[in-house]
Amino acid sequence: MRPLPHTIALCMLVIAACSDPSPPTAASGGSDGTAQAFQEVLGRLKLVKQEYAIAVGDGGVVDPVEYEESQMFAEQAALHYRRVRDWTKSRDPGAATGIESGLVELMKLVDGKRPVADANRLLDRLVEQVAAVSPSKIPPAVEGTRDAVARADAMITAEAQVSGYRIGVLSGPPRTLYLRRDDGSLAPSAPAAGATHYVAVVLREARTKRFLPGSTITARVAGGAPVELHHLWGEFFQYGANVEAPEGRFELEVTASPPAYCRHGDMLASFVKPATATFHASREGTALRFDGEKPAPGAPDYAVGDDVLQALGEARWKGEAGPYALGFIAEGPEPIWLWKNGRPELEPAAKDDTNHLEIALMDRSSMRIIPEGDVRLTLERMDVKSAPVEVELHPLLSSFYHYGKTLRVPAGRYRVTVRAEPPRFGALQPGAFVDRAEATFEWDNQPRIAAARGG
């Protein structure tokens, strides 16, 4: 772990003692570069808030890895702010002074292991100050995710919040669905005879509006037999099927199982029980309507796309393969909870484990995060002769959905190959993610984080 006095000293040097850096210019990105720098600061501050809440408790460190990451992200916030310090001073000297002093205070707070409540108050104030002077530009990496959420909000005709879930419903004419075969290809499935409408459920987290994968969702129309909905990729994720809706008034009962997904500790208590919502509906000819409220806003401290920015911010390597964008993340060892028999079961980190390796998998064209995939790593030593190791990654619910595994990786240089198989979900259009893709890069695994745990 970094010596604590050095961390404070680095922050002080970055903010106060360094020679004045040049503000972003047209050659280095102009207003776009300035906006990106501010987004990086905001992203790192949000990461500090997330990691510190897990890392510290009862006046001490309860998770050394998360604590080190809290220090690292606080330090990175200061480094990114240095790029726009003079730009901020030229426009609002008071705001610049407040941000600079706040960043120094944040480093002292983290190093002093002060209560999480104190950190949250300071971080909320810093986020507000930085956002107030930041150019209002949406980072390109989150445009696709924000567009998907906005489209879902616009098309959902009624939404209920139940046990932390958002359960939204929408409908349209019957349509052909493209369902995944065992070989990864998509096969068209035409509406059955008698189907009058396509009905879809949008399952999301109540707080963040993130789409929830891995659930089994059934819809019961007018008290009839339950119909299992298909998980489908489209303008936004939805669970849908063609159904027969009766004329007149009726009820649509929607039941969602907990996502059958492995988890990190931050999602251990979330979405572990099923949820049911009942919607009152009416049909007049081809028109099908649901009574209820339109989607409510999400939490004010979460911006749609924060998960994408976090994944990209933590990635040590970023690249592309076929239709995918990839981010590789290497952290210290940490436990995960596997989803078995309808509940999470702990898979602790072994004593000799050194790393938790992760892949963030995104759609290259929109940068929307892709769940329900099959992702594997092959690790080949480049500095000594040894047999390659193939690792199957678990799909994980966390602050951003990803694929990961905790294991022992001796220090050294590696050639890493990522293989992504087609995901399990279907689609509303043909051709979505039907081929295997792979990418190769080099990774120098140093034992810094593993050594910080003292294990």
Side-chain angles (χ1 to χ4, degrees), residues 39-40 73 111 121 168 198 240 244 261 285 321 352 357 372 429:
Q39 291 297 330
E40 296 287 356
F73 290 133
D111 288 348
R121 282 192 291 271
Y198 171 73
E244 183 177 359
Y261 237 66
D352 62 347
L357 302 183
E372 296 194 35
Q429 300 291 336

Side-chain angles (χ1 to χ4, degrees), residues 187-275:
S189 175
T196 62
H197 293 81
Y198 171 73
V199 171
V201 169
V202 180
L203 188 69
R204 300 186 286 180
E205 295 180 356
R207 197 179 80 81
T208 66
K209 292 192 175 183
R210 293 194 302 165
F211 300 96
L212 283 167
S215 178
T216 298
I217 294 188
T218 58
R220 190 186 297 271
V221 180
V227 177
E228 184 172 336
L229 308 186
H230 306 284
H231 197 196
L232 301 167
W233 174 272
E235 293 177 315
F236 49 88
F237 267 121
Q238 55 197 271
Y239 296 79
N242 294 301
V243 303
E244 183 177 359
E247 288 279 357
R249 300 281 296 175
F250 65 93
E251 288 187 346
L252 176 72
E253 182 184 89
V254 176
T255 299
S257 75
Y261 237 66
C262 307
R263 289 124 192 277
H264 277 301
D266 59 333
M267 298 286 285
L268 185 58
S270 302
F271 313 114
V272 292
K273 295 182 179 180

Side-chain angles (χ1 to χ4, degrees), residues 144-167:
T145 299
R146 292 192 179 185
D147 181 65
V149 171
R151 287 172 183 264
D153 283 346
M155 292 183 66
I156 290 169
T157 54
E159 184 181 77
Q161 294 194 31
V162 184
S163 302
Y165 299 90
R166 288 176 184 258
I167 301 176

Side-chain angles (χ1 to χ4, degrees), residues 354-355 381 383-384 409-414 444-447:
T354 59
N355 292 88
R381 288 289 295 266
D383 48 353
V384 298
V409 186
R413 259 194 104 63
Y414 288 84
D444 188 8
N445 182 30
Q446 297 300 324

